[in-house]
């Protein structure tokens, strides 16, 4: 996934799940648009907020849980970073892929807490724990 002008007008590129990459490639192959034209182009944060609002409403209804109404793009970014940390991806890679500039801030605010499974895997690495 390429973000040409992200926050601070910075370029960012991050890996995507293989099934998502395959879907994007398939759409690119069958559509009438030129191959160098983006499959999805988001020109404003307003579009992202509108998409998220629809997802929040759908999840709140499906799950019968009003808590979904408070989901934000910030939550999605933090969850993405935490999932990568749980999979033991190097924090410096997550920092780079996610566009964070400051490792200390990233680790303090975005990395979240490790799942019980991640904590168990870490303990198994050290015989005396």
């Amino acid at each position: 996934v390429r973000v040409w002008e992200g926050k601070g007008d910075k370029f960012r590129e991050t890996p995507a799940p293989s099934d998502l990459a395959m879907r994007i490639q398939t759409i690119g192959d069958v559509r009438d648009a030129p191959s160098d034209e983006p499959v999805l182009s988001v020109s404003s944060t307003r579009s992202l907020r509108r998409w998220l609002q629809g997802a929040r409403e759908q999840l709140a209804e499906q799950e019968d849980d009003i808590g979904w109404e408070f989901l934000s793009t910030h939550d999605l970014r933090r969850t993405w970073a935490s999932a990568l940390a749980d999979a033991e991806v190097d924090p410096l890679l997550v920092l780079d892929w996610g566009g964070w500039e400051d490792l200390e801030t990233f680790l303090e605010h975005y990395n979240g807490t490790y799942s019980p499974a991640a904590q168990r895997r870490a303990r198994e690495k050290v015989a005396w724990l």
Side-chain angles (χ1 to χ4, degrees), residues 1-14 42 77 95-103:
V1 175
R2 291 186 183 122
V3 178
W4 294 102
E5 295 178 14
K7 189 174 183 179
D9 291 330
K10 294 183 181 174
F11 174 78
R12 205 169 31 230
E13 186 171 19
T14 187
V42 179
R77 190 174 187 216
L95 179 109
D96 184 50
W97 292 341
W100 287 281
E101 292 183 9
D102 178 356
L103 179 61

Side-chain angles (χ1 to χ4, degrees), residues 24-72:
I24 292 169
Q25 182 66 45
T26 302
I27 291 168
D29 290 345
V30 299
R31 68 187 178 145
D32 292 331
S35 62
D36 62 344
E37 187 174 311
V39 172
L40 176 65
S41 181
V42 179
S43 58
S44 72
T45 55
R46 187 178 319 159
S47 295
L48 290 172
R49 288 186 192 117
R50 190 173 57 248
W51 293 342
L52 185 58
Q53 178 64 32
R56 283 193 307 243
E57 291 169 359
Q58 184 178 358
L59 284 165
E61 184 177 322
Q62 284 176 350
E63 302 297 321
D64 193 28
D65 183 351
I66 192 84
W68 284 108
E69 290 287 339
F70 301 97
L71 184 69
S72 71

